[in-house]
Amino acid sequence: MADTAKAKGGGTARSTGGRRRSRKDSTTSAARGATSGVADEKPEVLLDYYRRMLLVRRFEERTGQAYTQARIGGYCHLNLGEEATVVGLMDSLQERDYLYTNYRDHGYAIHKGMSPRRVMAELYGRTDGVAKGWGGSMHMYDTETRMLGGYGIVGGQLPLATGAALAISYRGGDEIVMCQMGDGTTNIGAWHEALNLASLWNLPIVYTIVNNFTGMGTAVHRSSAEPDLYKRGSAFRVEGVRVDGRDVLAVRDAAADLVEKARSEQRPYILECTSHRLKGHSVVDPAKYRTEEQVAEARSNDPVADFADQLEKAGVLTEEKKQEISDSVKEEVADAADFAENSPHPEVSTLFDYTYATPVANESRRMPADPVFAE
């Protein structure tokens, strides 16, 4: 039975986990897609979810490897440990819906419809990438699939996603916006400003918090006076729901419910998905701030391994099928890496081609080595 508490100001906050839990409790006792839930799904759907989760896992592992080989530059943040959340959230959206994310965006890009080849090429900084090699890891962007970023600044996506929801409302459209973020984003000013406007103007948007309990290197309970992040819309009368982010079925169902409510009611909602980050904040972060107990806890809550175990117990995933999926995913990731490796680097002369969407008078196109004043 969900715990529903009336929030001050008329909003509500709901947790799928019942009683209020401590950090450790919330990560070990929440529902994990029990066999009864698996039994209600078609085998082909479950196998598809497993393959998609495994694709994110292997793609990110290959990304980390390529980064250490200096094939990928700049900052790089991986979805390792958040595979169930990624797949569940993306399965709740319609093709016409819009997505804005933070910089941990590779898995979302792939499952919003971008080719793994083009995503990997963007990571490599090549012309066949989704942003022609000029965006890199943190800036996946594709108008065709309606994923409009990938933002490197914490919370940079919040005002833009809220503005997109306003545009939908203004035009009378039936799309919605999903705005994904990390737990640390809920402490910045744009979070409160976005929620206030979205509620005031009745905008069709779902703010999705991926709470891995650690904002960069600081535990959530040390940085947030209200660590139950799904409750933080109460002051703005925005309903919030928390779900176990390691459970792909629970994430999908909770997200689909809020997405359709946002669509039909033209109202904003908050969805908090709790999960573990299996690695540091970025590829170069050794995560020394974590205790041995916390590391062991994260490893014991691997969503990919847990889901495979559930499917095996339910008789859906055989060893033969598991190996077949593994080989197929390995081949797809290798193909993406080969494609990226063989894609050309962008010409230096195109550096300023995409600074503005339309021509701007007197735009500077001076290269670093060029003189400040023309001779």
Side-chain angles (χ1 to χ4, degrees), residues 162-163 165-166 169 197-199 201-205 207 262 266-269:
T162 305
L166 174 61
S169 179
L197 289 177
S199 184
W201 294 341
N202 299 312
L203 303 183
I205 183 169
Y207 297 100
Q266 294 291 292
R267 287 289 299 164
Y269 287 91

Side-chain angles (χ1 to χ4, degrees), residues 10 18 41 72 74 83 93 112 140 149 157 261-262 271 335 360:
E41 297 289 337
I72 297 173
E83 294 86 355
L93 297 178
K112 189 63 174 76
M140 299 295 159
Q157 71 274 30
K261 280 185 176 180
L271 177 62
D335 174 72
V360 174

